[in-house]
Amino acid sequence: MSNTDTVKDLGAKLMNGAHKIVLTVSGGRLLSKPFGMPVVELHTIGRSSGLPRSCYLTTPVREKDWIVLVASKGGDDRDPDWYKNLQAHPDAELVMDGERFAVHTRTASAEERAALWTKVVAAYKGYADYQRRTQREIPLVICQL
């Protein structure tokens, strides 16, 4: 891992921590819908450590029984750690609107991704920019509630 990657990862962790503080202090009133998308708190099990991990993510597509998470990492060439954790341990938990849900996750198939990507970009045009920044195809994760 390069020094640049280490700095990016540290910045992302600090931003996630700051987001958690703002949500907690404001009782969920501030930063609950950045860019117009609802925020969820994802709880995973670390793929190497086996320890609980959590992070805040936006949900550009939300249906009654499932939601989509975008493993963009801001257009980085590496997959986010939370996505790697889900690949190793697909059962996770989401906190949405103050309620905690058990979810089973999977990466969208090529056909599903093609159909969902238009909706993802319609919710936040920045995802199209993230995709242009990286050589990897950004995975979409379907979380079954």
Side-chain angles (χ1 to χ4, degrees), residues 60-61 116-129:
V61 179
L116 289 168
W117 188 251
T118 306
K119 293 178 181 182
V120 167
V121 172
Y124 175 57
K125 293 183 186 347
Y127 287 126
D129 292 332

Side-chain angles (χ1 to χ4, degrees), residues 23 35 45 57 60 89:
L23 281 169
F35 308 108
I45 301 298
L57 301 166
H89 304 284

Side-chain angles (χ1 to χ4, degrees), residues 1 4 16 29 35 38 45 48 50 53 72 90 123 128 134 137:
M1 184 181 308
T4 303
N16 196 55
R29 290 184 299 277
F35 308 108
I45 301 298
S48 300
R53 303 289 184 214
S72 66
T134 183
E137 183 173 76

Side-chain angles (χ1 to χ4, degrees), residues 54-121:
S54 69
C55 64
Y56 287 90
L57 301 166
T58 56
T59 58
V61 179
R62 194 170 179 177
E63 299 293 334
K64 182 180 178 184
D65 297 340
W66 53 273
I67 67 163
V68 172
L69 301 175
V70 182
S72 66
K73 198 170 183 169
D76 196 286
D77 287 326
R78 299 167 297 145
D79 288 326
D81 288 338
W82 64 262
Y83 177 66
K84 294 175 191 175
N85 291 344
L86 290 177
Q87 288 178 306
H89 304 284
D91 292 318
E93 292 183 333
L94 286 176
V95 177
M96 300 184 300
D97 305 322
E99 269 190 86
R100 197 172 186 123
F101 298 89
V103 295
H104 182 75
T105 66
R106 63 182 177 80
T107 301
S109 69
E111 295 81 21
E112 289 170 320
R113 186 188 184 284
L116 289 168
W117 188 251
T118 306
K119 293 178 181 182
V120 167
V121 172

